[in-house]
Amino acid sequence: MVKLHFFSKWLSNCVFLRLQKKIKMSKRYTITAALPYTNGPIHIGHLAGVYVPADIYARYKRLTGNDVAFICGSDEHGVPITIKAKKEGVTPQQIVDRYHKIIKDSFEEFGITFDNYSRTSAKIHHDTASEFFTTLYDKNEFVEEVSEQLYDAEANQFLADRFVVGTCPKCGNEESYGDQCENCGTSHNATDLINPKSAITGNVPTLKETKHWFLPLNKHEAFLKEWILEGHKKDWKSNVYGQCKSWIDDGLRPRAVTRDLDWGIPVPVPGGEGKVLYVWFDAPIGYISSTKEWAAREGKDWEPYWKDKDTKLVHFIGKDNIVFHCIIFPAMLKAEGSYILPDNVPANEFLNLEGKKLSTSKNWAVWLPDYLQDFPNQQDVLRYALTANAPETKDNDFTWKDFQARNNNELVAIFGNFINRVVVLTNKYYEGVVPTPSSFSAIDQETLATVKAYPAVIESSLERYRFREAGQELMNLARLGNKYLADEEPWKLIKTDEARTQTIMYVALQIASALATLSEPFLPFTSTKLKTILNTTENAWSDISTKDVLLPAAHQIKKGELLFSKIEDEQIQVQLDKLEASKKANEAANKVVEPQKEEINFDDFTKLDLRVGTILEAEKMPKAKKLLVLKVDTGIDVRTIVSGIAEHFKPEDVIGKKVTVLVNLAPRALRGVESQGMILMTENAEGKLVFVNPDDASVNNGLHIS
Ligand SMILES: [Zn+2]
């Protein structure tokens, strides 16, 4: 108890210091979330990597009294959209109109509280991006260069970005795009690709001269070095800092910021006819134009949100966007001269699904519209599970089993259970009226003091962009409530000590009230429900640490409703079956059947002596990963066969197995062991070897197979 007392006193001190600091620190925040690309709906990977953490952060900053602009919008230019439009025989505008709506609806349904959600096809964005480009052009910040670019003569088109596929010069990935390798994350020029091929016709492109404007990143190298490598060594996440360092160390080169395309923002300077701005030049400017659109609607001035040095600019993105947000966009802002630079870029790594990379083209994903159909009104469950598993420091895996466990073992069994007990008992014992406490026991006092410390504990995690940790701290507050009730057992005391029961229920109601406020960034729908049940919206975030009474005696609460419900195994199985169906469909789509070999006659066939055999012994070949040394009873003799199956079978798994053996294959030595024959194998759809197998115990060894 002494220890606990000391701990809570220390926590209260922290709270006090932090509050003092915060009163001074309340400020303006421009929080951006990566503009989703409008060629498909949003899946859980996007939500976990960018939008849920960004929303938690924005809600928290608003709740703690800051001036927040939370900005996003659809990224509607670029090559993939034109490729998709071509494939479907529609216009690019039709593609972006379709997905802009789907994406915007998903964000609203999941409670992502953007102050503005714009789109880069909007006039305000075209104007803003054109103006930005013109300013840099007038300041001579571009290098104008006629260079040879990849050209597809058949398609009559220059090949940039996703119009060209080839081998990444850095990692050797054969499927790298012209602007970026998805395997190693390197960003490069299309002409850097080895063995480039047109994505339109499959032709090998030729080189053709064309004029473009380049942003000379090399010119900004010294500034970037100082600003990131010196200035943000401590406060940027190590995955972000590390990627930046490796790019800067490799040496920065000029990057073309225009393209020979007809979909995008026209290049607004002489000689720019038939060319548009590179999508990665205009997209981040989308944050600025979306802020302008919002400010105009709200009757505010947009400029302080981008130009006042007291504003904190934070970009939430996935790791594939680090180079654009940490190197290229800051270089653009710096070259323009009047803008602030990001204070932090808390990029996440990738989320996998059931052990495999999320993939739109392979339909290996959980799409948000599908989730809502299968789990209606359970947005908070997904928000919670994704936060608990956020890929903050390394790639992480989403599994449906973990999702179920997070719901059943944490949201239902801890948070929901605590609230349900408090609300049901208050209604049962006191007709929903908060009872008057008598004197507090030492445990009551410790408990109330610990509750007061929670805002600071959660803030400390959020300020360091540790959303997993913050979410777990919130759950710890619910755990505290659950444990308090379990230890104090008001349902027993009600029979013997009414005064004590009243005090216990009063304390429990204070914890419930703290949860209603502190859960808002993480579980916004639950927070609203809980505030309705407790019949109060009075408490602000800071009240939880400063006010002694969160829910006063005599306050009337309402009847309860369950905040969370158990997710059954059958519901999870439905999801697993869906993924299995996707997997099967992919296998079928990718199935390659080898063409038939050259015709042979019967005599050729009879030369093969195929026999039934049984594996008697098996052991690993020393220092060979793939080889097993087998003793096989062929009916003729017991002989040694070396087989390349060690990565698929353990020795003990194959002993006793009936197999088909080619017995008259000329012996050959493998690692010094003579192999006298071959066991027939094939490979299944997942690439696992399986035996071609006379699977019947009544078939004797030595029998011919013909
Ligand atoms: Zn690569």
Side-chain angles (χ1 to χ4, degrees):
M1 186 49 66
V2 174
K3 252 190 185 159
L4 188 60
H5 181 72
F6 178 78
F7 174 68
S8 79
K9 204 168 160 194
W10 171 79
L11 278 176
S12 317
N13 280 341
C14 290
V15 173
F16 181 68
L17 290 173
R18 202 163 268 281
L19 279 173
Q20 270 200 323
K21 212 165 127 201
K22 210 155 60 212
I23 289 160
K24 276 185 255 158
M25 275 176 40
S26 164
K27 58 196 294 184
R28 193 184 304 108
Y29 282 84
T30 303
I31 301 168
T32 72
L35 306 187
Y37 200 63
T38 26
N39 67 341
I42 294 283
H43 60 55
I44 56 167
H46 303 122
L47 215 54
V50 178
Y51 304 105
V52 167
D55 186 60
I56 292 173
Y57 190 75
R59 285 175 180 267
Y60 151 66
K61 284 297 173 190
R62 289 192 198 103
L63 280 169
T64 47
N66 297 286
D67 176 11
V68 170
F70 183 23
I71 296 299
C72 194
S74 296
D75 177 4
E76 304 190 328
H77 297 134
V79 169
I81 284 165
T82 63
I83 292 180
K84 196 174 178 95
K86 243 177 215 166
K87 243 187 216 163
E88 294 189 15
V90 298
T91 63
Q93 190 65 47
Q94 283 172 297
I95 297 284
V96 301
D97 286 348
R98 183 198 308 161
Y99 290 114
H100 172 73
K101 184 177 181 333
I102 293 173
I103 293 171
K104 192 167 187 270
D105 289 351
S106 285
F107 284 142
E108 277 167 16
E109 281 159 350
F110 276 85
I112 308 294
T113 53
F114 296 129
D115 290 299
N116 198 48
Y117 189 79
S118 187
R119 51 196 305 193
T120 60
S121 62
K123 182 174 185 303
I124 194 167
H125 176 68
H126 275 236
D127 292 348
T128 305
S130 286
E131 200 187 304
F132 200 105
F133 186 90
T134 308
T135 305
L136 296 195
Y137 177 84
D138 290 342
K139 290 181 78 176
N140 276 321
E141 289 288 348
F142 293 130
V143 178
E144 212 172 298
E145 205 178 279
V146 174
S147 61
E148 291 194 310
Q149 295 294 326
L150 303 178
Y151 185 76
D152 183 335
E154 189 187 331
N156 189 23
Q157 190 166 346
F158 280 98
L159 301 176
D161 310 332
R162 311 241 151 170
F163 274 136
V164 55
V165 184
T167 302
C168 168
K170 183 146 188 189
C171 75
N173 166 28
E174 291 176 7
E175 304 273 293
S176 176
Y177 294 117
D179 54 344
Q180 193 177 21
C181 170
E182 286 196 330
N183 186 49
C184 68
T186 304
S187 139
H188 45 230
N189 293 317
T191 44
D192 296 338
L193 289 178
I194 302 159
N195 298 328
K197 272 208 180 81
S198 166
I200 310 167
T201 60
N203 294 344
V204 175
T206 54
L207 287 168
K208 189 176 167 179
E209 283 195 339
T210 179
K211 182 166 79 175
H212 281 294
W213 287 265
F214 290 74
L215 184 68
L217 290 175
N218 43 318
K219 193 182 135 186
H220 302 285
E221 205 172 292
F223 143 71
L224 289 165
K225 238 181 205 162
E226 196 195 327
W227 173 60
I228 301 175
L229 302 187
E230 301 299 320
H232 288 295
K233 206 170 198 161
K234 296 256 163 65
D235 61 333
W236 282 16
K237 290 171 65 171
S238 61
N239 58 329
V240 177
Y241 184 90
Q243 265 203 38
C244 293
K245 185 171 184 327
S246 118
W247 276 309
I248 295 171
D249 287 351
D250 276 357
L252 298 171
R253 291 186 299 145
R255 284 290 298 258
V257 294
T258 53
R259 293 286 188 265
D260 292 288
L261 285 176
D262 54 6
W263 176 245
I265 298 171
V267 173
V269 298
E273 298 76 24
K275 299 174 197 288
V276 298
L277 304 185
Y278 175 38
V279 64
W280 266 111
F281 184 87
D282 92 68
I285 297 172
Y287 300 138
I288 301 170
S289 41
S290 183
T291 310
K292 282 186 181 176
E293 191 177 76
W294 164 73
R297 192 180 63 231
E298 301 288 321
K300 288 175 181 253
D301 180 7
W302 70 272
E303 285 194 286
Y305 292 88
W306 281 94
K307 298 189 173 180
D308 185 328
K309 63 176 176 30
D310 288 332
T311 298
K312 255 181 121 174
L313 173 62
V314 182
H315 295 309
F316 282 87
I317 56 167
K319 70 171 164 187
D320 49 337
N321 292 349
I322 292 176
V323 65
F324 301 105
H325 286 79
C326 298
I327 308 272
I328 299 176
F329 189 43
M332 288 162 57
L333 294 170
K334 177 85 167 127
E336 202 278 349
S338 66
Y339 285 86
I340 52 169
L341 298 173
D343 183 75
N344 213 318
V345 185
N348 272 333
E349 300 287 297
F350 287 152
L351 186 76
N352 295 324
L353 170 59
E354 301 284 353
K356 276 193 218 159
K357 201 176 163 184
L358 279 154
S359 163
T360 301
S361 55
K362 291 182 180 158
N363 196 27
W364 191 256
V366 178
W367 304 102
L368 299 194
D370 293 352
Y371 173 87
L372 275 185
Q373 214 163 45
D374 294 346
F375 298 94
N377 300 316
Q378 295 183 72
Q379 291 94 326
D380 278 352
V381 179
L382 188 60
R383 284 179 68 119
Y384 181 77
L386 292 178
T387 303
N389 251 322
E392 284 178 2
T393 51
K394 58 177 175 56
D395 289 357
N396 219 347
D397 201 24
F398 175 91
T399 68
W400 280 109
K401 282 283 173 207
D402 177 75
F403 166 84
Q404 183 189 26
R406 295 279 177 195
N407 180 74
N408 293 357
N409 305 342
E410 295 176 22
L411 293 174
V412 175
I414 300 168
F415 196 116
N417 183 46
F418 169 65
I419 297 298
N420 191 45
R421 278 168 154 182
V422 173
V423 173
V424 167
L425 294 181
T426 304
N427 275 295
K428 187 171 162 194
Y429 300 160
Y430 314 114
E431 292 177 328
V433 177
V434 178
T436 307
S438 44
S439 65
F440 291 124
S441 70
I443 291 193
D444 299 341
Q445 284 171 16
E446 293 294 348
T447 303
L448 290 170
T450 308
V451 172
K452 280 191 173 185
Y454 263 94
V457 169
I458 294 172
E459 281 169 36
S460 153
S461 299
L462 291 179
E463 288 296 343
R464 288 174 293 149
Y465 305 99
R466 296 185 181 179
F467 298 94
R468 302 168 67 130
E469 195 180 271
Q472 286 311 301
E473 289 299 350
L474 175 74
M475 193 49 73
N476 284 339
L477 175 57
R479 277 195 182 93
L480 175 81
N482 232 4
K483 181 170 181 341
Y484 176 78
L485 278 187
D487 290 347
E488 299 302 313
E489 300 183 303
W491 45 86
K492 281 191 184 160
L493 280 176
I494 186 77
K495 293 165 204 146
T496 56
D497 190 342
E498 273 209 32
R500 178 67 194 140
T501 308
Q502 287 189 9
T503 306
I504 295 166
M505 290 311 299
Y506 172 87
V507 171
L509 281 156
Q510 307 309 307
I511 303 173
S513 187
L515 276 172
T517 300
L518 298 183
S519 63
E520 190 191 316
F522 306 91
L523 308 166
F525 299 91
T526 306
S527 168
T528 303
K529 265 195 212 166
L530 185 48
K531 283 173 191 160
T532 306
I533 296 169
L534 297 177
N535 193 21
T536 177
T537 50
E538 293 254 307
N539 295 315
W541 183 278
S542 60
D543 290 342
I544 309 305
S545 28
T546 55
K547 277 165 67 171
D548 283 328
V549 179
L550 298 175
L551 214 56
H555 173 84
Q556 176 76 50
I557 69 163
K558 297 192 175 155
K559 289 258 182 290
E561 58 168 315
L562 284 183
L563 295 179
F564 304 102
S565 52
K566 199 170 168 225
I567 292 173
E568 303 295 340
D569 290 347
E570 296 76 54
Q571 289 172 274
I572 294 303
Q573 196 54 48
V574 169
Q575 300 304 321
L576 293 173
D577 290 348
K578 267 193 195 177
L579 287 175
E580 188 60 29
S582 285
K583 201 165 110 190
K584 288 259 162 65
N586 283 323
E587 279 164 13
N590 293 324
K591 196 168 138 195
V592 182
V593 178
E594 287 173 44
Q596 183 178 305
K597 287 185 186 168
E598 199 184 322
E599 200 174 272
I600 60 168
N601 56 39
F602 187 69
D603 287 346
D604 292 330
F605 172 70
T606 55
K607 283 182 188 161
L608 300 177
D609 193 344
L610 293 167
R611 304 284 179 120
V612 174
T614 301
I615 298 174
L616 302 179
E617 294 172 27
E619 56 185 40
K620 286 196 132 171
M621 170 87 86
K623 291 181 192 159
K625 235 170 55 191
K626 293 186 174 171
L627 301 180
L628 285 187
V629 181
L630 310 172
K631 285 265 186 294
V632 182
D633 181 350
T634 63
I636 307 164
D637 50 20
V638 174
R639 61 175 79 183
T640 301
I641 294 177
V642 179
S643 185
I645 59 173
E647 288 181 319
H648 302 264
F649 298 96
K650 292 192 200 124
E652 58 267 31
D653 294 341
V654 300
I655 293 171
K657 220 170 177 54
K658 278 232 185 287
V659 291
T660 309
V661 193
L662 177 61
V663 291
N664 63 338
L665 185 69
R668 73 184 174 127
L670 286 162
R671 304 244 169 177
V673 178
E674 193 178 73
S675 181
Q676 301 157 319
M678 190 173 85
I679 294 175
L680 268 50
M681 309 290 300
T682 186
E683 202 180 85
N684 72 10
E686 279 125 41
K688 186 182 173 358
L689 292 179
V690 288
F691 287 97
V692 176
N693 182 339
D695 201 8
D696 187 335
S698 72
V699 181
N700 289 333
N701 292 346
L703 286 175
H704 265 292
I705 295 171
S706 53

